[in-house]
């Protein structure tokens, strides 16, 4: 299988804080890569580098074989990157439907008529069509997370980056979220998915990368990573510090 994303020796420091220390990994076509690790491991910073919000001090990122390390956020978006934010960023004073259209027209560069059709299809897929006319600010947590995904899908991405889309959800809601993620994968989209709920990662991913203190602890098949001594130790270590 071809690589969609190839990350090599990525590093970033904020002052004297070396947050990522030469991390490397790959995401294959149509693969879901789960990213786990204790608080402060560098997961969100890594996502922000992948989308172009932050610039790495070292290392490279290739997307479908092309070096995108120095491309802007907008260029990456037009090439096929989509993302959700750890704290949902929908426009609360706009309706659910309008929020997704904005993603299609401004994020995906689609004409409005196409954007409207696309938005409708997406709302059907993520289970928000009945709430299309609701203001985003009135949605429950799971529906806000659904809408985050909907906005990210609107620009027709090839690669989606999820930051805790299942965080704070009940078990039943997590199951619904897993079903949505599976549908997205079935459309041929690759996903990098940060999550703290380890059971969700075990059920919902093809491969897991564990980060701790800015380094890759392990990357491999979900069960092998979850059952490994190294990964248990990095979580235990984090608990002891708390
Ligand atoms: N813009 C920034 N400027 C300076 N330091 C930052 C910045 N963003 C993140 N950091 C630091 O980088 C480290 C990693 O943060 P990050 O948000 O990536 O952790 P995380 O793995 O996503 O944690 P969590 O699981 O709590 O979301 C932290 O020490 C944080 O304080
Ligand atoms: Mg984070």
């Amino acid at each position: 299988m071809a690589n969609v994303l190839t990350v090599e020796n990525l590093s970033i420091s904020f002052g004297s804080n070396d947050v990522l220390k030469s991390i490397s990994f790959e995401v294959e076509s149509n693969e879901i890569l789960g990213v786990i690790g204790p608080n402060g491991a560098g997961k969100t910073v890594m996502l922000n580098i992948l989308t172009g919000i932050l610039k790495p001090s070292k290392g490279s990122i290739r997307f479908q074989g092309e070096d995108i390390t120095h491309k802007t956020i907008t260029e990456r978006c037009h090439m096929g990157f989509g993302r959700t934010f750890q704290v949902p960023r929908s426009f609360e004073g706009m309706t659910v439907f309008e929020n997704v259209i904005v993603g299609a027209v401004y994020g995906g560069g689609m004409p409005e008529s196409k954007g409207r059709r696309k938005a409708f299809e997406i709302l059907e897929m993520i289970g928000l069509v009945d709430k299309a006319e609701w203001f985003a600010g009135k949605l429950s947590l799971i529906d806000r997370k659904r809408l985050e995904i909907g906005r990210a899908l609107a620009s027709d991405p090839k690669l989606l980056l999820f930051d805790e889309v299942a965080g704070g959800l009940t078990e039943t809601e997590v199951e619904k979220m897993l079903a949505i993620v599976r549908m997205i994968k079935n459309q041929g989209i690759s996903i990098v998915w940060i999550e703290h709920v380890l059971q969700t990662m075990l059920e919902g991913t093809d491969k897991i990368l564990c980060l701790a203190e800015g380094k890759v602890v392990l990357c491999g098949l979900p069960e092998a990573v979850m059952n490994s001594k190294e990964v248990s130790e990095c979580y235990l270590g984090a608990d002891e510090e708390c």
Side-chain angles (χ1 to χ4, degrees), residues 39-235:
N39 294 114
K43 305 181 295 296
T44 298
V45 165
M46 180 193 88
L47 220 65
N48 285 340
I49 296 178
L50 294 181
T51 49
I53 292 175
L54 291 171
K55 303 244 164 294
S57 40
K58 275 193 208 135
S60 69
I61 307 164
R62 284 204 308 280
F63 178 60
Q64 297 185 316
E66 185 176 347
D67 189 333
I68 58 148
T69 317
H70 303 291
K71 296 231 183 261
T72 64
I73 300 172
T74 313
E75 284 170 332
R76 290 177 209 209
C77 187
H78 288 161
M79 288 175 84
F81 274 67
R83 81 166 287 176
T84 69
F85 286 88
Q86 191 164 352
V87 178
R89 288 194 175 184
S90 305
F91 300 111
E92 303 212 334
M94 287 167 70
T95 67
V96 165
F97 193 53
E98 286 164 349
N99 262 282
V100 182
I101 290 174
V102 167
V105 174
Y106 294 99
M110 282 175 212
E112 197 181 323
S113 56
K114 189 175 171 204
R116 294 182 81 83
R117 276 200 305 278
K118 180 89 195 159
F120 188 76
E121 277 168 29
I122 289 170
L123 292 185
E124 272 197 314
M125 188 172 97
I126 60 176
L128 270 185
V129 85
D130 293 346
K131 296 177 184 150
E133 296 308 322
W134 284 38
F135 284 111
K138 298 278 177 212
L139 295 175
S140 63
L141 180 64
I142 182 162
D143 286 342
R144 273 188 281 142
K145 300 224 176 214
R146 281 189 166 116
L147 182 55
E148 272 290 292
I149 294 180
R151 278 158 34 93
L153 277 172
S155 59
D156 254 340
K158 298 181 184 106
L159 173 71
L160 273 176
L161 307 165
F162 288 162
D163 201 351
E164 301 201 24
V165 288
L169 301 184
T170 64
E171 255 178 63
T172 322
E173 289 171 337
V174 167
E175 284 307 315
K176 289 180 186 162
M177 191 52 81
L178 277 168
I180 291 173
V181 175
R182 286 186 192 117
M183 265 191 282
I184 295 172
K185 177 181 155 121
N186 286 342
Q187 295 190 347
I189 299 171
S190 307
I191 301 173
V192 176
W193 184 5
I194 296 175
E195 201 63 68
H196 275 293
V197 191
L198 301 186
Q199 188 58 32
T200 311
M201 291 283 90
L202 196 52
E203 286 179 39
T205 65
D206 300 306
K207 190 166 86 181
I208 292 180
L209 170 78
C210 177
L211 282 183
E213 296 175 0
K215 287 191 204 149
V216 174
V217 176
L218 206 59
C219 186
L221 290 175
E223 217 152 306
V225 171
M226 290 300 192
N227 294 329
S228 75
K229 196 164 154 266
E230 298 95 310
V231 170
S232 312
E233 275 172 3
C234 85
Y235 274 94

